[in-house]
Amino acid sequence: MEDKKWLAITAIAPVAWGSTYYVTRHALPPDAPLWGAVLRALPAGLLLLLVVRRLPRGEWWWRSLVLGSLNMGAFFVLVYAVGQLLPTSMAATLMSLSPIAMMLFAWALLAERPGVHRVAGALVGIVGVALMVGAGGTGADWRGIAASVAAMVMSAAGFALTKRWGRPGDVVAGTAWQLVAGGLCVLPFALLVEGGPPPVDGAAVLGFAYVAVVATAVAYVAWFTGLAHLPAGAVGLVGLLNPVTGVVLGTALGGESLTAWQVLGLVVVLAGLVVGQRRSAEAPVDVVLGARVAR
């Protein structure tokens, strides 16, 4: 019962992140990935910093810099680039591999050997996402594919490190430090490459406010809360709700049609989540396959 509570809290994050596809496409200025990352990370971090009113101490100065760069700053830039360079279907399908990447990093950095149900759930979920978004679209750009893979690996490594290094007192403080660090890391590059901030209208102001407060500040606090109470592999599987949310909002608000294959994909993704979160006395997958991996 306790795990279900943490799973529900964690699910806030991928649902909020999935909504950024629609907001970015319809409200935010195009061709400004660096400023887009800054305006997403820095206001959210400063808002949380006002709440906690506490600065890092000791090793958490450099840890916040590392985690902020991996989880937020550079990651936000790469995700923006993916959205510009790849068809939505291919971008969503590639990013749906994140649970597998997160399981591998959790195995390598945290000795969390994935159970058979968790691996099966991830694979089922990936199949569902591929069905839902219609993988294999045309117009793939190798730069977008490279950016997608880099973003996926970067975030998986960052989330695993976040769990390994633990909490610096409370989740909100740690999230605030990472967001501020991530935004400040990207800011000089935004000024040098893109010049001043992009012009914005009323819709863009509301869009940035939503992305910063809901899809970043609230979402990352929820995500890191889940990482603090659940195995990293289990948290990664919840991330499959991200592309699901994107497709649903595109259908409901963006005028896109939902095909029978997409409906089937939604059902398969949800089935993967159920399978992957099943609690049992299952053996780790390496034991089932006959491998002997030392903890």
Side-chain angles (χ1 to χ4, degrees):
M1 192 67 178
E2 190 73 7
D3 280 0
K4 290 182 179 179
K5 178 183 77 173
W6 299 123
L7 285 171
I9 292 173
T10 305
I12 294 172
V15 170
W17 294 335
S19 68
T20 60
Y21 302 138
Y22 177 84
V23 175
T24 300
R25 179 174 293 275
H26 293 279
L28 302 186
D31 304 321
L34 294 170
W35 273 111
V38 172
L39 295 175
R40 179 177 179 180
L42 200 53
L46 293 174
L47 177 63
L48 294 179
L49 202 58
L50 286 174
V51 174
V52 297
R53 297 181 179 274
R54 185 154 56 88
L55 295 176
R57 293 183 181 179
E59 61 190 1
W60 277 101
W61 282 101
W62 68 265
R63 285 184 174 182
S64 298
L65 183 62
V66 172
L67 295 176
S69 299
L70 291 172
N71 293 334
M72 287 90 169
F75 175 72
F76 290 165
V77 176
L78 288 169
V79 167
Y80 191 101
V82 170
Q84 295 289 318
L85 295 171
L86 289 181
T88 301
S89 61
M90 181 166 289
T93 301
L94 286 171
M95 291 304 292
S96 74
L97 298 174
S98 295
I100 293 292
M102 197 163 175
M103 286 182 193
L104 292 176
F105 275 103
W107 194 348
L109 298 178
L110 307 173
E112 287 186 6
R113 290 183 288 176
V116 175
H117 286 138
R118 197 156 290 157
V119 173
L123 294 176
V124 170
I126 290 168
V127 171
V129 172
L131 288 172
M132 186 173 55
V133 300
T138 59
D141 188 317
W142 68 267
R143 296 170 301 169
I145 294 174
S148 180
V149 172
M152 177 181 63
V153 172
M154 185 176 294
S155 62
F159 293 148
L161 276 177
T162 299
K163 188 166 180 65
R164 176 170 182 156
W165 286 341
R167 289 183 293 175
D170 66 81
V171 172
V172 178
T175 305
W177 302 339
Q178 289 187 46
L179 285 167
V180 172
L184 290 177
C185 283
V186 179
L187 180 58
F189 297 98
L191 291 169
L192 288 173
V193 177
E194 297 177 354
V200 295
D201 55 15
V205 170
L206 291 176
F208 274 123
Y210 173 83
V211 168
V213 176
V214 177
T216 304
V218 174
Y220 273 93
V221 168
W223 187 256
F224 290 142
T225 297
L227 278 174
H229 293 91
L230 297 168
V235 174
L237 274 177
V238 180
L240 289 171
L241 291 173
N242 184 329
V244 172
T245 304
V247 169
V248 170
L249 286 181
T251 303
L253 301 179
E256 302 173 10
S257 60
L258 190 63
T259 67
W261 284 109
Q262 288 176 308
V263 173
L264 176 61
L266 286 170
V267 174
V268 172
V269 168
L270 294 176
L273 286 171
V274 172
V275 171
Q277 300 299 346
R278 178 179 174 182
R279 291 180 59 88
S280 68
E282 61 181 28
V285 67
D286 60 320
V287 174
V288 172
L289 295 178
R292 293 189 177 184
V293 179
R295 284 186 177 271

